[in-house]
Amino acid sequence: MRGSSEKAQSGEKGRMKRRESRFPAVFVFLYLAVCSVLIVGICSRSSPLYGFNLWDDANSYFTMGKSIFHGKIPYRDLFDQKGILLYFIYGIASLISYRDFTGVFIMECICAALTAAGIFAVLGLYLKKTTALVLTPISLALIYSSACFYWGGSAEEFNMPFIIWGMYLLLMTFRRGIGPLGVFVCGILAGCVFNIKFTSLGFFIAQALIIMLCRASAGKRDSDRAWLGTFVLTGVLYLLGMAVATLPFVLYFAVNGALYDWFNVYVYLNVFVYSEKMALSARLYLMAKILFTHLLRDILISVMMASAYVYGAYIFVTGKDAAQRKSYAAMVLALVFSCFFIYIGGVELVYYFYPVTAFSVMGFVLPGRLAEKLVLKARRGMRTPYLSAALTCAVSFAAAFAISGNPAEMKVVGKDHWLYYFRDVIESSGVEDPKLINIYCFDQGLYTVTGLIPECRFYQTQTIHIDDIPLIQKDFIKSGRADFVLTRDAELDYARNEFSLAAEKNGVLGGEDHTYYLFKRNDS
């Protein structure tokens, strides 16, 4: 009886394993792509479902990106503090759609599809492929509907696929090992993140150290020198991958004589000027406080992260699979490094938490395994995998709509919005090739809807404190190089003789009321 029972169970397992291959690769690709478009369409304000993405950060990235294709060199000609790869992503988006966010939405969909593929790969290491595919859109929806996703188009969002695939390669190291090519690819992923926003590099620093240790400790080493040689060689190979991802941009800046500007603005100012100045103890306390606040704000992400690490602790204590135990220990180290490097600057912004949401993916392993055991216990395979996939896609879409805070803002920006009114004023003014500057506020989107390219290096207000910024902006205005000046909640007092009020409108941004002014130079 026992033998026949084991044989029946083995037969059922075999049938279930065969059913795993019922999803063709083409279906998996299309399924993840469709889920990604639906989820991004709901969660991002760059989506056509929204009138316009009013987030000043996204508009400044768009302005920087499109300016690249008009001969402007980031950091040297226009000042902003994100990575050059992010600006090229936005630049490509501007080639698709020059005066709105349709191109950005397409780039976000591609980013989400790559992220979804990475989530599927990570879950596929621990679950049956069918289970992994069904859970992937739920995980993606949870990440994209989080509060830290914010309005869409952040640097952190475009870093996510690199982090997820980096996570997959790290976990793969403990299951099958990792060769030189894998190490090199990890370095390329890290290099891409460095050139988008380097505060997300904490994960990759942990990844590099873990992989170096694993490769050095693998197999038998004849001496400490051989161990150290492998350790160092792996690190060099990793750095080489980062260099390959960065070299095209280094050449770009070198050819345009802007290497110093790139290093000074992107590295030096971000590290030594933008960060808050405080004692180490105060910094560590603030980091913990900020992280705790973000965990409470995105409670569903926190629950899935707790699921991952509680289950990981159980595996670490009771599990016999050494590879699995090491993988969960590695994820703890990666999380610590990620949070440390994100918050070490002491700056609290809601979207800073977004890279941390990648760790919620592992939280789906436990419910996935429980579901598989229930299916096996019931001796019923997933007989309707396509129906299950379709239902999951619908559930994910509904969850994204219900959880995300952005759908309430759909179509808030209509054609009667102050942006379009100011655009019409500029375009009907008769001024040929008008020059615009945006002061007393960040990029409000007027550069975007008018298609204008800034001529002043400090084309918007900056969060970083540099004494020269208001002086350079004032000189640009007073010297007659600006035809139009956009201000928010403040008039142009120091240039009343040279400029007249051309338009005034009230508007709402982030739940706050503002008054916007457009001034026109009198002799334009």
Side-chain angles (χ1 to χ4, degrees):
M1 286 291 290
R2 182 179 176 184
S4 61
S5 175
E6 289 178 350
K7 189 177 294 185
Q9 190 174 12
S10 175
E12 181 63 25
K13 285 183 178 179
R15 285 192 295 275
M16 287 185 68
K17 192 169 184 179
R18 286 193 296 274
R19 288 188 188 111
E20 286 187 45
S21 61
R22 293 179 68 173
F23 289 128
V26 173
F27 173 80
V28 172
F29 172 79
L30 292 175
Y31 175 71
L32 295 179
V34 169
C35 290
S36 299
V37 171
L38 291 175
I39 290 169
V40 175
I42 285 294
C43 297
S44 174
R45 297 194 189 186
S46 304
S47 162
L49 296 176
Y50 298 80
F52 189 81
N53 191 339
L54 292 173
W55 189 25
D56 42 39
D57 278 23
N59 279 282
S60 68
Y61 305 156
F62 196 92
T63 298
M64 293 289 289
K66 72 180 181 183
S67 297
I68 291 175
F69 293 97
H70 286 79
K72 300 292 185 182
I73 308 301
Y75 315 120
R76 186 193 73 184
D77 299 331
L78 296 176
F79 186 95
D80 200 50
Q81 299 160 254
K82 297 301 186 293
I84 184 62
L85 179 54
L86 178 67
Y87 299 143
F88 269 100
I89 291 171
Y90 269 84
I92 293 170
S94 74
L95 298 179
I96 299 171
S97 183
Y98 190 68
R99 294 194 180 197
D100 60 37
F101 278 83
T102 303
V104 177
F105 171 69
I106 292 171
M107 300 303 286
E108 285 186 86
C109 289
I110 294 171
C111 173
L114 292 172
T115 300
I119 293 172
F120 174 61
V122 168
L123 294 179
L125 293 174
Y126 303 96
L127 304 170
K128 300 182 189 307
K129 298 302 180 185
T130 300
T131 310
L133 188 66
V134 167
L135 290 178
T136 292
I138 298 177
S139 177
L140 188 72
L142 187 66
I143 290 172
Y144 271 77
S145 62
S146 62
C148 58
F149 176 75
Y150 206 54
W151 291 5
S154 68
E156 287 80 2
E157 178 186 352
F158 287 105
N159 268 339
M160 185 59 80
F162 303 107
I163 294 172
I164 289 290
W165 280 103
M167 184 179 292
Y168 169 74
L169 291 172
L170 175 60
L171 296 170
M172 274 285 292
T173 301
F174 298 104
R175 298 179 70 86
R176 305 175 196 171
I178 187 168
L181 180 60
V183 176
F184 182 72
V185 170
C186 286
I188 291 176
L189 296 176
C192 291
V193 167
F194 172 78
N195 288 290
I196 292 177
K197 188 175 181 181
F198 62 73
T199 53
S200 296
L201 275 178
F203 170 84
F204 289 96
I205 293 173
Q207 181 203 52
L209 291 173
I210 293 167
I211 290 176
M212 290 162 68
L213 287 170
C214 287
R215 281 180 54 79
S217 304
K220 294 182 178 180
R221 303 293 176 197
D222 296 332
S223 64
D224 291 341
R225 182 178 296 180
W227 187 95
L228 182 61
T230 303
F231 183 85
V232 172
L233 185 61
T234 303
V236 169
L237 193 58
Y238 195 100
L239 291 174
L240 183 61
M242 290 188 69
V244 166
T246 306
L247 183 60
F249 304 117
V250 171
L251 293 175
Y252 167 76
F253 287 115
V255 167
N256 289 284
L259 270 176
Y260 169 78
D261 301 284
W262 169 60
F263 179 82
N264 181 58
V265 174
Y266 185 54
V267 180
Y268 178 79
L269 292 181
N270 273 323
V271 173
F272 297 105
V273 179
Y274 186 66
S275 300
E276 297 286 341
K277 305 295 186 294
M278 63 186 75
L280 178 61
S281 58
R283 188 178 297 276
L284 292 175
Y285 170 76
L286 181 59
M287 289 170 60
K289 181 181 176 182
I290 293 172
L291 181 59
F292 183 70
T293 300
H294 286 174
L295 287 170
L296 288 180
R297 182 185 290 124
D298 276 311
I299 193 66
L300 293 178
I301 291 289
S302 301
V303 168
M304 295 315 298
M305 287 175 61
S307 168
Y309 286 100
V310 169
Y311 183 56
Y314 171 78
I315 292 294
F316 189 82
V317 173
T318 65
K320 297 179 180 179
D321 188 338
Q324 232 180 24
R325 295 174 66 192
K326 289 178 181 178
S327 65
Y328 277 103
M331 293 305 290
V332 172
L333 185 64
L335 176 62
V336 171
F337 270 63
S338 295
C339 293
F340 181 81
F341 279 87
I342 289 170
Y343 297 114
I344 186 63
V347 179
E348 179 183 3
L349 290 171
V350 61
Y351 47 87
Y352 278 20
F353 186 68
Y354 190 71
V356 181
T357 64
F359 293 91
S360 68
V361 173
M362 292 293 290
F364 286 88
V365 173
L366 175 58
R369 285 187 168 177
L370 292 174
E372 288 176 350
K373 285 184 178 181
L374 289 174
V375 168
L376 181 61
K377 189 174 182 180
R379 294 180 180 268
R380 293 177 60 192
M382 196 174 286
R383 303 185 189 281
T384 54
Y386 289 100
L387 178 59
S388 300
L391 288 174
T392 305
C393 182
V395 167
S396 302
F397 178 81
F401 188 88
I403 299 170
S404 174
N406 288 329
E409 301 297 320
M410 284 184 182
K411 296 302 180 184
V412 165
V413 183
K415 291 303 179 182
D416 58 343
H417 192 269
W418 71 264
L419 269 175
Y420 298 109
Y421 177 70
F422 282 18
R423 177 200 63 186
D424 294 341
V425 170
I426 292 174
E427 291 181 348
S428 63
S429 67
V431 179
E432 293 186 9
D433 190 22
K435 303 298 184 293
L436 170 69
I437 184 170
N438 182 131
I439 64 172
Y440 302 149
C441 55
F442 303 113
D443 190 335
Q444 298 297 289
L446 194 57
Y447 291 113
T448 303
V449 298
T450 59
L452 296 178
I453 303 298
E455 291 298 327
C456 180
R457 186 186 184 211
F458 297 107
Y459 64 96
Q460 63 172 341
T461 297
Q462 295 291 333
T463 52
I464 196 167
H465 180 70
I466 301 176
D467 294 334
D468 291 343
I469 292 178
L471 298 176
I472 292 173
Q473 290 176 333
K474 183 176 180 179
D475 178 70
F476 185 81
I477 293 169
K478 295 283 286 183
S479 64
R481 285 177 286 170
D483 296 300
F484 291 92
V485 181
L486 171 68
T487 70
R488 188 181 76 185
D489 299 330
E491 297 195 29
L492 197 61
D493 293 330
Y494 60 75
R496 287 185 179 275
N497 294 330
E498 297 90 349
F499 285 80
S500 300
L501 183 64
E504 177 184 343
K505 281 281 188 178
N506 294 324
V508 179
L509 182 65
E512 297 181 358
D513 294 325
H514 297 284
T515 302
Y516 296 89
Y517 302 94
L518 181 67
F519 295 91
K520 178 181 178 294
R521 188 157 55 91
N522 293 330
D523 58 355
S524 291

